[in-house]
Amino acid sequence: MATGAKTNQKWGLETSFGVEATNVNKAFGTNLEVSGLDMDNSMTPRRGIGGRNLKKMSSGVFRGSMSLKFDLCDPWVLRLICGGYAKTGTETLTLTFAEADTLPSFTIHEHVSGVNGGSDRLIKYLGCVVVDATIDAVQNEVVSVTLNIAFADVAESAGTSTAIEITTDPLTFAQAAWKKGMTAVTLTEAVHISIMQNAELKAYLGSRIPAAASFGNREYEVSTTRKVVDSTTYLQELYGAAGGPSEAGPKVADYSLVLTPEAGQTGATYTFTFDDGYVTKRSEPKREGEDIIESVTLVMTSLTVSAVTSLTEPTW
């Protein structure tokens, strides 16, 4: 019987949409979970006069989707999320993952060993793009990434694929700092970063297999919880002034999430920098015997991610 213990996944960038990547040589991260692996033929029933029963089913666009959750272990996956990529340095690399209007497509190889006691199965998911992504830094947890992915095609056969050994160390909540401007927002319990690319795969006349990806509005939303210690960090930003709501509306501020490994750990230092963040919602429930916690939702206008690492850059 096939189990998750007998499965591995790895990915590589495609040079042409839907054409298998040449270098499928990068792991997602430790603690990988695959959920919502769905495929849909977009079929429609064909009926008509002369009877009550179904006559035919007509196939539409093939649509595939999956959700992956894993620990943030190395920076390469950020290229799938942001799109842009630049590198400086030699032994120590400074990587910049900037916004791009078109995200790269990628191939996922999934190897399942001994399906039902039979042969190994190699599944190739082609024309993958990130629809949306979430970065979570939560009290007493490892920093994690969730990718919701659409894929255009599948090629399945008997075969194997060697798993990529992950040698980097995952980062934990203790190595995370949420900042407003240059100042750490103390007593923060959780930060959830949502990056929505609104990607859609497109099929055209001649084939029901999608041949390209289209990207809609880019959206950034951050939700965070914090023990209430002041009114200046979030409440006055929501009001737009001290003492109550202003006619001008909320203030604007820059925010960042910084992840710094401990000395001796292998990995990267990450800085997620958001420009022009607006506090759009805030709640502050109060219960007897409990800390007063404020929950805040911010909408950001732009994002750039930098990573400083001594890791060897993989072949793209």
Side-chain angles (χ1 to χ4, degrees):
M1 177 178 291
T3 70
K6 294 186 176 182
T7 303
N8 69 74
Q9 281 195 351
K10 55 188 178 181
W11 64 274
L13 290 185
E14 297 174 347
T15 54
S16 297
F17 181 88
V19 178
E20 183 182 0
T22 302
N23 298 301
V24 183
N25 57 358
K26 289 165 281 294
F28 286 103
T30 53
N31 212 46
L32 174 65
E33 297 178 1
V34 182
S35 62
L37 178 51
D38 300 318
M39 287 175 267
D40 187 352
N41 276 319
S42 304
M43 300 189 79
T44 55
R46 314 312 296 168
R47 298 181 180 273
I49 60 174
R52 298 174 55 218
N53 291 351
L54 175 72
K55 298 183 183 300
K56 297 282 186 181
M57 290 291 289
S58 176
S59 296
V61 177
F62 174 82
R63 300 189 186 279
S65 64
M66 73 173 79
S67 180
L68 306 181
K69 184 177 181 180
F70 50 91
D71 302 332
L72 178 60
C73 291
D74 62 51
W76 319 118
V77 72
L78 294 171
R79 189 169 182 179
L80 306 180
I81 298 173
C82 298
Y85 176 72
K87 175 189 71 173
T88 59
T90 52
E91 293 185 3
T92 299
L93 304 179
T94 298
L95 312 174
T96 301
F97 301 90
E99 297 173 342
D101 287 339
T102 300
L103 297 187
S105 65
F106 56 101
T107 296
I108 295 175
H109 281 184
E110 182 178 82
H111 172 219
V112 183
S113 176
V115 180
N116 296 325
S119 61
D120 289 0
R121 182 175 60 172
L122 178 60
I123 308 168
K124 302 174 183 179
Y125 300 99
L126 308 173
C128 300
V129 295
V130 172
V131 178
D132 58 73
T134 305
I135 315 292
D136 295 312
V138 180
Q139 182 186 48
N140 205 34
E141 295 183 11
V142 171
V143 178
S144 65
V145 180
T146 301
L147 302 181
N148 289 318
I149 295 167
F151 58 89
D153 201 359
V154 183
E156 184 174 340
S157 63
T160 62
S161 180
T162 304
I164 303 297
E165 181 182 1
I166 299 172
T167 59
T168 51
D169 298 300
L171 297 162
T172 73
F173 74 102
Q175 296 156 308
W178 177 241
K179 296 183 177 184
K180 178 184 175 185
M182 301 299 293
T183 304
V185 181
T186 58
L187 303 181
T188 296
E189 294 187 345
V191 175
H192 305 279
I193 298 172
S194 295
I195 302 168
M196 291 155 279
Q197 298 288 357
N198 290 303
E200 182 181 0
L201 300 188
K202 298 284 190 177
Y204 303 99
L205 296 182
S207 175
R208 70 189 194 95
I209 306 302
S214 175
F215 298 92
N217 289 338
R218 186 166 39 228
E219 302 172 75
Y220 303 114
E221 185 175 283
V222 175
S223 59
T224 180
T225 55
R226 180 199 188 212
K227 183 177 179 179
V228 175
V229 291
D230 61 58
S231 63
T232 57
T233 302
Y234 294 126
L235 185 58
Q236 289 185 22
E237 298 295 309
L238 176 76
Y239 288 155
S246 72
E247 292 294 343
K251 294 180 180 179
V252 178
D254 297 337
Y255 296 85
S256 60
L257 176 67
V258 181
L259 306 172
T260 308
E262 300 292 344
Q265 286 190 313
T266 302
T269 297
Y270 302 85
T271 304
F272 295 76
T273 302
F274 295 95
D275 292 331
D276 294 347
Y278 296 83
V279 177
T280 60
K281 297 179 183 178
R282 181 183 179 274
S283 65
E284 186 186 304
K286 299 176 177 66
R287 300 179 180 88
E288 181 184 357
E290 296 182 9
D291 290 337
I292 299 176
I293 303 296
E294 58 181 339
S295 299
V296 177
T297 301
L298 303 104
V299 171
M300 312 296 192
T301 60
S302 65
L303 168 66
T304 301
V305 186
S306 66
V308 179
T309 183
S310 58
L311 296 173
T312 301
E313 182 184 28
T315 302
W316 292 104

